[in-house]
């Protein structure tokens, strides 16, 4: 699944940043709602997982595109 640049594009530029934004909003809402410990965990752990996942997908996509089209098969 992660062998196509198109899939990595969708993950790196669309889905994972969107999930990071949503989890940051959820974490801030939890903190403001009084559930501080769980909100901090969501902000620190979950948001960072999605953010680093997006960076990983973009780096892998860039490396695949630099290899050339015939090297991916």
């Amino acid at each position: 699944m992660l062998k196509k640049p198109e899939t990595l594009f969708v993950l790196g530029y669309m889905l994972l940043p969107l999930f990071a934004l949503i989890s940051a909003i959820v974490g801030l809402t939890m903190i403001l709602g009084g559930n501080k410990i769980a909100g901090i965990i969501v902000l620190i752990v979950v948001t960072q997982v999605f953010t680093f996942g997006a960076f990983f997908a973009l780096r892998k996509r860039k490396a695949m595109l630099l290899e050339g089209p015939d090297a991916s098969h």
Side-chain angles (χ1 to χ4, degrees):
M1 178 177 133
L2 294 178
K3 304 224 184 244
K4 292 176 155 181
E6 295 85 12
T7 305
L8 294 170
F9 174 82
V10 170
L11 284 174
Y13 282 115
M14 295 178 193
L15 289 179
L16 292 174
L18 178 65
F19 291 154
L21 178 64
I22 290 171
S23 65
I25 292 170
V26 167
L28 287 174
T29 305
M30 290 171 77
I31 291 172
L32 294 175
N35 199 353
K36 292 185 182 358
I37 300 298
I40 290 172
I41 290 172
V42 168
L43 272 178
I44 292 175
V45 176
V46 179
T47 304
Q48 295 303 316
V49 166
F50 287 133
T51 304
F52 288 126
F55 284 128
F56 170 77
L58 293 176
R59 275 195 326 234
K60 188 169 181 177
R61 178 180 179 266
K62 182 178 179 182
M64 287 177 74
L65 290 176
L66 289 176
E67 286 178 1
D70 49 335
S72 63
H73 292 285

